[in-house]
Amino acid sequence: MDDTLQRLLDAEMKAENLAREAEEERERTIRAATLEARELDEAFSAKIPTLQQTWIARSEERAANAIAEIERRYDERHERLRDLAGEREDEALNAGFRILMDSRV
């Protein structure tokens, strides 16, 4: 019976040691994961200004391209309108001269 009791005590001590080691390992894992998460968060936070600058630069570039396209279209339309006005000016002058030259008036 003493032998059985001793084996039970030994088994209990081993179980307690295993439980303690598992708890310590769990705590180490939690600390390591927390530290890694903090480091990743700090690294990301440090990148935020660069990310913002990149986004702003891309936005400014797209805006400049859009403005250039609008100006190009405006210039084309302005040129077409001037051409049409020039064509109509000649027609108007010719009509005016015809009216002046018409003897019926």
Side-chain angles (χ1 to χ4, degrees):
M1 181 93 154
D2 286 337
D3 188 41
T4 305
L5 187 56
Q6 187 60 43
R7 281 195 320 233
L8 285 173
L9 287 172
D10 289 343
E12 185 181 356
M13 297 255 296
K14 280 183 183 179
E16 285 177 6
N17 285 338
L18 285 172
R20 186 174 18 82
E21 289 172 6
E23 181 65 26
E24 289 170 358
E25 180 63 28
R26 178 181 161 272
E27 289 299 320
R28 281 193 298 272
T29 302
I30 289 172
R31 280 194 299 273
T34 303
L35 179 62
E36 183 180 357
R38 239 185 242 123
E39 288 170 352
L40 289 171
D41 184 54
E42 288 171 4
F44 179 74
S45 294
K47 288 181 183 179
I48 288 175
T50 303
L51 294 171
Q52 287 175 333
Q53 289 296 338
T54 302
W55 185 83
I56 289 169
R58 285 183 191 161
S59 297
E60 288 174 346
E61 182 179 342
R62 282 191 295 256
N65 289 340
I67 289 169
E69 179 64 20
I70 290 169
E71 286 176 345
R72 183 187 63 77
R73 287 183 195 166
Y74 172 81
D75 290 342
E76 287 176 357
R77 188 168 292 150
H78 181 71
E79 200 173 307
R80 268 189 264 133
L81 287 173
R82 286 194 150 227
D83 291 344
L84 286 172
E87 291 172 14
R88 301 296 184 242
E89 180 182 8
D90 289 341
E91 290 175 17
L93 286 174
N94 287 334
F97 286 136
R98 276 193 305 260
I99 289 172
L100 287 175
M101 301 301 242
D102 191 359
S103 59
R104 288 181 280 161
V105 176

